[in-house]
Amino acid sequence: MSRLIYENSVSYKGYLIIPFVFGKADKYEIYSYKLLSEIGRKSHLHKAENPAQIYGNSTGNIVEIAKEHLDKNADFVSERDIFQSRYVYRRNLIILFHENGRYFYDHYPPELLNNIAAPKLFKSEYECLKWVKQGLDGQYLGQRAG
């Protein structure tokens, strides 16, 4: 599997649709997607890979396929958007959350949907993002030096 294309992810009804290149046929890329669920493991679709079992010819096309599948098969629907504060930095997905005056985050690397965030609370969104970016920059510089 190629890296997850977080830059083209779309939040939809409590899910985050994340496209990726599944493979190639001739010179054409075939797209698939993975899902994150607002309610986490309580949803059978959390971290699911292409539950529609249909592939697309572009990121936009695969997002539409995923939306259609969710419209018919979602185990819950949310009107709020917990994925609205998401950022891509060094191809990593960072999702920020705000609760009771504190900020925290989820962090997913480019290749897989494993949350590798540290259990840490912050006073501001800026402080949280700065901390994550510093960690990723240090990791990036360490890889380049090695």
Side-chain angles (χ1 to χ4, degrees):
M1 179 184 88
S2 69
R3 79 171 182 91
L4 297 161
I5 308 171
Y6 295 129
E7 300 87 344
N8 294 92
S9 64
V10 172
S11 180
Y12 186 70
K13 296 184 177 182
Y15 297 89
L16 188 64
I17 303 165
I18 307 164
F20 66 93
V21 176
F22 179 75
K24 289 189 178 195
D26 292 326
K27 297 177 187 174
Y28 300 98
E29 292 180 329
I30 301 166
Y31 290 87
S32 186
Y33 67 98
K34 289 192 174 200
L35 295 171
L36 283 179
S37 166
E38 175 181 304
I39 61 173
R41 289 183 279 194
K42 294 177 187 170
S43 169
H44 74 280
L45 294 172
H46 185 61
K47 295 187 179 184
E49 183 173 327
N50 198 343
Q53 298 181 349
I54 301 171
Y55 298 86
N57 60 5
S58 68
T59 56
N61 176 246
I62 199 63
V63 165
E64 290 307 312
I65 290 167
K67 284 180 177 181
E68 187 176 311
H69 183 78
L70 288 169
D71 285 342
K72 294 176 184 171
N73 300 288
D75 48 7
F76 78 98
V77 173
S78 177
E79 296 302 320
R80 62 187 188 137
D81 184 3
I82 70 157
F83 299 113
Q84 74 182 24
S85 293
R86 67 182 184 278
Y87 303 89
V88 179
Y89 188 71
R90 296 198 184 275
R91 297 185 171 180
N92 289 260
L93 175 65
I94 303 158
I95 304 168
L96 298 183
F97 303 98
H98 180 239
E99 196 173 287
N100 299 324
R102 297 287 186 186
Y103 291 83
F104 57 99
Y105 70 99
D106 283 350
H107 168 206
Y108 297 91
E111 304 82 26
L112 60 149
L113 285 181
N114 282 350
N115 184 5
I116 55 174
K120 188 166 171 64
L121 296 174
F122 301 89
K123 294 178 183 173
S124 72
E125 184 172 325
Y126 172 78
E127 186 182 288
C128 184
L129 263 180
K130 181 179 171 189
W131 192 83
V132 176
K133 286 181 173 182
Q134 285 176 337
L136 288 171
D137 287 343
Q139 183 180 43
Y140 178 76
L141 291 173
Q143 289 173 353
R144 291 194 65 187

